[in-house]
């Protein structure tokens, strides 16, 4: 579906996208400032997850990634299954390419993600399953993975998602191989090892369905409070922000961010997208825009939230249709990079600032 940017109040410029070639008809004022310029005025990193194949092959994607954002996150190329496909055999090519791309464009990098139950290399999951890797060896493998990857990018990663999705919806710990084999202490260990490898990186917990105050986000709050009291360097709470307009907008988002701030922690929106049941229409897109804006305003509403990342900025490469059948249109721009009302809402929110 081709989208045209909604006319923005105060701006006469209009951008008409034809066959992916962006022709901006600027008004008498300067051409429209990119999102990153507005974000910098608001002391915010506006980021996007990056699909490295698209970055290599799609010039519009590459140009937009560099122009609009001042933070990037590896959608997949920093995950364990990618960086260590065979035990002791590393492939840093994708991660290196993203870090280089970011450095060349003055962007910071969010590292995603060191410890997760998904996208683990096959040699590790099969070794645990067949018992050839016991708990003691697994702990050593985890320590080596974290130390190796964090040290490689020492000084070049602003924030690491150290552990990802460790709680269930009811606030109980997810029964992953990490919990089964190592017990709950794997979380504190992961943060300590990451901090030892790069003391300057800000170390985050990260999960979905934790935008408001609920059993899951409260489990993170209590975990962070306890670990910080024990001196564990848990410095940030990452709120993924995968929303859907067919569900209500989460309540208590500002209050949720505020309680982590009271612990002395940063917060970040790390993977924001807002899916819908297709086909998209004007009303659904307008609702989507309010959801993006609602999360952005919550972030701008507290100095402790310094980073707002969308999980891809174009529907062309979104993960959503492949996972949620019949749903999609979850990002700020369409398949043709046409700006949707959500893009305009994010722009206006950034322009209003804190
Ligand atoms: O790279 C292989 C390719 O070689 C193979 O031919 C192809 C077909 O099997 O698969 C490719 O790997 C895919 C990978 O993305 C890279 O494109 C995996 O199958 C696919 O499962 C994987 O999906 C990623 C998903 O995490 C995995 O759970 C999505 O791109 C990514 O957007 C998504 O991101 C997660 C965050 O990391 C954590 N929070 C939730 C978010 C959405 O699930």
């Amino acid at each position: 579906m081709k989208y045209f940017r909604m006319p923005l109040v105060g701006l006469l410029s209009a951008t008409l996208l034809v066959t992916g070639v962006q022709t901006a008809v600027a008004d008498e004022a300067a051409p429209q400032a990119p999102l990153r310029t507005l974000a910098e005025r608001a002391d915010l990193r506006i980021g996007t997850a990056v699909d490295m194949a698209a970055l290599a092959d799609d010039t519009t994607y590459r140009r937009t990634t560099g122009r609009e954002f001042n933070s990037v996150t590896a959608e997949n190329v920093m995950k364990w299954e990618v960086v260590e496909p065979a035990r002791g055999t590393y492939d840093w090519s994708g991660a290196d390419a993203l870090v280089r791309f970011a450095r060349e464009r003055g962007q910071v990098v969010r590292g995603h993600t060191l410890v997760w139950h998904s996208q683990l290399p096959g040699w590790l999951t099969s070794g645990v399953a067949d018992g050839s890797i016991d708990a003691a060896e697994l702990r050593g493998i985890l320590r080596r993975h974290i130390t190796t990857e964090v040290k490689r990018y020492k000084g070049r990663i602003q924030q690491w998602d150290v552990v990802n999705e460790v709680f269930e919806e009811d606030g109980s710990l997810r029964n992953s191989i990490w919990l089964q084999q190592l017990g709950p202490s794997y979380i504190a260990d992961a943060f300590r090892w990451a901090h030892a490898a790069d003391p300057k990186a800000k170390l985050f917990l990260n999960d979905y369905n934790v935008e408001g105050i609920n059993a899951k986000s409260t489990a993170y709050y209590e975990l962070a409070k306890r670990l910080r009291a024990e001196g564990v360097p848990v410095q940030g709470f990452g709120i993924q922000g995968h929303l859907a307009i067919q569900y209500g907008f989460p309540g208590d988002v500002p209050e949720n961010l505020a309680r982590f701030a009271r612990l002395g922690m940063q917060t970040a929106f790390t993977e924001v997208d807002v899916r819908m049941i297709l086909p998209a229409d004007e009303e659904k897109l307008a609702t989507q825009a309010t959801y993006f804006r609602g999360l952005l305003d919550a972030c701008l509403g507290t100095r402790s939230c310094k980073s707002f990342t969308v999980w891809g900025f174009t529907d062309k490469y979104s993960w959503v249709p492949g996972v949620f059948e019949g749903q999609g249109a979850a990002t700020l721009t369409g398949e043709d990079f046409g700006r949707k009302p959500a893009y305009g809402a994010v722009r206006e929110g950034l322009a209003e600032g804190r």
Side-chain angles (χ1 to χ4, degrees):
M1 180 174 180
K2 187 178 285 291
Y3 300 104
F4 297 88
R5 194 183 57 205
M6 307 294 282
L8 293 171
V9 174
L11 285 173
L12 300 177
S13 62
T15 300
L16 178 65
L17 286 160
V18 178
T19 61
V21 174
Q22 189 162 338
T23 56
V25 177
D27 57 15
E28 61 278 5
Q32 203 172 55
L35 298 179
R36 65 181 290 178
T37 302
L38 301 173
E40 279 147 19
R41 293 174 191 158
D43 185 26
L44 184 78
R45 291 289 176 172
I46 182 77
T48 183
V50 180
D51 175 325
M52 293 307 289
L55 197 74
D57 303 338
D58 186 327
T59 51
T60 304
Y61 180 90
R62 186 179 183 86
R63 185 174 62 243
T64 308
T65 302
R67 184 186 66 240
E68 295 289 330
F69 302 98
N70 56 10
S71 174
V72 289
T73 303
E75 183 171 11
N76 287 293
V77 295
M78 288 190 180
K79 292 172 179 173
W80 203 338
E81 71 172 359
V82 176
V83 299
E84 192 179 1
R87 188 170 181 174
T89 302
Y90 295 97
D91 177 2
W92 302 110
S93 59
D96 287 354
L98 181 63
V99 169
R100 184 168 53 248
F101 179 89
R103 191 179 63 245
E104 290 166 353
R105 291 159 181 82
Q107 298 168 318
V108 297
V109 181
R110 294 200 80 259
H112 176 80
T113 182
L114 296 171
V115 188
W116 193 21
H117 62 277
S118 182
Q119 290 184 273
L120 293 171
W123 60 266
L124 184 131
T125 50
S126 55
V128 171
D130 67 21
S132 59
I133 295 176
D134 66 15
E137 187 177 13
L138 182 65
R139 189 168 183 271
I141 288 169
L142 180 59
R143 179 171 193 164
R144 186 163 43 255
H145 165 62
I146 292 171
T147 304
T148 303
E149 185 160 15
V150 176
K151 270 189 175 173
R152 183 178 182 86
Y153 300 109
K154 182 177 180 181
R156 295 183 287 170
I157 300 286
Q158 185 199 44
Q159 302 178 351
W160 268 109
D161 291 334
V162 175
V163 296
N164 189 44
E165 304 173 10
V166 299
F167 282 115
E168 298 292 354
E169 300 308 298
D170 64 1
S172 62
L173 280 169
R174 183 186 290 269
N175 194 30
S176 67
I177 66 165
W178 306 116
L179 184 68
Q180 291 165 22
Q181 298 289 322
L182 305 181
S185 63
Y186 81 92
I187 297 173
D189 285 342
F191 277 90
R192 287 193 175 105
W193 295 333
H195 185 68
D198 184 355
K200 289 188 177 170
K202 294 298 180 190
L203 306 180
F204 277 64
L205 299 157
N206 190 54
D207 211 329
Y208 60 87
N209 290 354
V210 293
E211 297 79 20
I213 293 179
N214 56 37
K216 194 175 187 180
S217 62
T218 297
Y220 278 103
Y221 174 77
E222 296 300 335
L223 173 69
K225 188 176 179 182
R226 177 170 58 79
L227 292 182
R228 288 173 63 86
E230 294 166 6
V232 178
V234 180
Q235 297 153 335
F237 183 50
I239 299 168
Q240 292 182 10
H242 293 295
L243 302 182
I245 63 167
Q246 58 268 32
Y247 309 122
F249 185 80
D252 323 312
V253 181
E255 293 77 6
N256 190 29
L257 271 63
R259 64 177 173 169
F260 285 93
R262 286 194 294 273
L263 293 180
M265 292 173 69
Q266 287 187 30
T267 47
F269 286 92
T270 58
E271 307 182 15
V272 181
D273 52 27
V274 183
R275 66 183 186 273
M276 61 187 70
I277 295 167
L278 298 174
D281 62 31
E282 200 169 321
E283 183 182 357
K284 292 178 185 176
L285 292 170
T287 302
Q288 178 187 56
T290 68
Y291 280 40
F292 272 100
R293 181 68 187 268
L295 294 186
L296 178 63
D297 284 351
C299 183
L300 290 167
T302 172
R303 286 284 174 190
S304 57
C305 183
K306 298 183 177 304
S307 182
F308 186 94
T309 294
V310 294
W311 205 243
F313 63 87
T314 171
D315 296 344
K316 185 175 180 181
Y317 300 104
S318 172
W319 68 287
V320 169
V323 173
F324 296 98
E325 192 177 346
Q327 299 186 48
T331 73
L332 299 177
T333 70
E335 308 265 349
D336 60 357
F337 297 94
R339 294 171 176 175
K340 294 152 75 171
Y343 177 93
V346 166
R347 257 196 94 72
E348 289 169 8
L350 293 172
E352 284 184 23
R354 294 190 185 272

